[in-house]
Amino acid sequence: MAFSNKPHFILIFMVSCFILTLFVSALDVSNAVAEAPSPGSGGDGYLPLSKKHVIIHNVVNNKQTLNVHCKSSEDDLGLIHLPWNQTWGFRFRVNIWDTTKFVCNFTWYGGGSHNFDIFDVWRDDNEFGQTPVCSVCIWEVGRNNKDKAMCRIPRDGANPYCFKWDNN
Ligand SMILES: *[C@@H]1O[C@H](CO)[C@@H](O)[C@H](O)[C@H]1NC(C)=O
Ligand SMILES: *[C@@H]1O[C@H](CO)[C@@H](O)[C@H](O)[C@H]1NC(C)=O
């Protein structure tokens, strides 16, 4: 009796493996889709644990290298030397309490030293925030040293959202 059941179990095992493989590859695909650019969608990703990609673009007007140092309460991303007109970025997930915040210091020759909250859930991941929700959050740094110190660039070509430094 046990003998005649054995091929049956093997078959079930093989089918299970196959289904599992399908499931895993489906997950991979959905990840890839989630990361793909989604032009025009201001409403992507304000769910707990949503994935974020912050990109920093050095556009300081004296064309110097920008020194970037970003931190959250958990992570210190180290000091980055970003040549003019280059970009650098980092990825993370918003924490389950929706309190994730990254602060960056920016310094460059002839430009001084400035702080800015580069990611703030209330501004960047909130339907009612000051700026549309972003999953890829692109910032131009140093268009000027006043009202356009930090500009978030919408992916759909709309006008940028510009801010002063958080300190002077
Ligand atoms: C940026 O500089 C200020 C004051 O100089 C300091 O308090 C803060 O911790 C620095 N932040 C980062 C991310 O290095
Ligand atoms: C800045 O970089 C972009 C993308 O690499 C390039 O197309 C552009 O010409 C550069 N701008 C200047 C002024 O070099």
Side-chain angles (χ1 to χ4, degrees), residues 114-154:
H114 309 280
N115 289 345
F116 191 75
D117 292 350
I118 198 95
F119 185 84
D120 181 313
V121 170
W122 296 108
R123 187 192 60 215
D124 301 310
D125 200 31
N126 177 349
E127 227 182 324
F128 306 106
Q130 260 175 303
T131 59
V133 171
C134 53
S135 56
V136 179
C137 310
I138 303 165
W139 287 95
E140 285 186 359
V141 181
R143 279 189 176 194
N144 68 24
N145 235 334
K146 292 173 284 194
D147 55 331
K148 293 182 181 166
M150 295 291 303
C151 292
R152 216 185 85 194
I153 311 298

Side-chain angles (χ1 to χ4, degrees), residues 40 153-160:
I153 311 298
R155 306 183 88 196
D156 59 6
N159 286 336

Side-chain angles (χ1 to χ4, degrees), residues 57 63 84-86:
H57 184 190
K63 304 194 176 183
W84 186 75
N85 199 26
Q86 301 286 299

Side-chain angles (χ1 to χ4, degrees), residues 42-119:
D44 44 344
Y46 53 89
L47 295 167
L49 302 178
S50 57
K51 282 185 182 176
K52 300 296 174 186
H53 186 186
V54 168
I55 298 174
I56 291 169
H57 184 190
N58 175 3
V59 301
V60 300
N61 48 30
N62 64 359
K63 304 194 176 183
Q64 296 295 308
T65 292
L66 182 66
N67 305 301
V68 181
H69 191 179
C70 303
K71 288 181 194 172
S72 70
S73 56
E74 283 116 53
D75 296 300
D76 183 334
L77 304 179
L79 181 60
I80 308 294
H81 303 287
L82 185 62
W84 186 75
N85 199 26
Q86 301 286 299
T87 61
W88 170 79
F90 57 95
R91 294 168 191 268
F92 57 95
R93 278 179 190 273
V94 173
N95 69 23
I96 197 133
W97 306 278
D98 253 3
T99 55
T100 303
K101 182 190 263 194
F102 278 90
V103 182
C104 300
N105 273 17
F106 298 100
T107 64
W108 69 100
Y109 183 77
S113 167
H114 309 280
N115 289 345
F116 191 75
D117 292 350
I118 198 95
F119 185 84

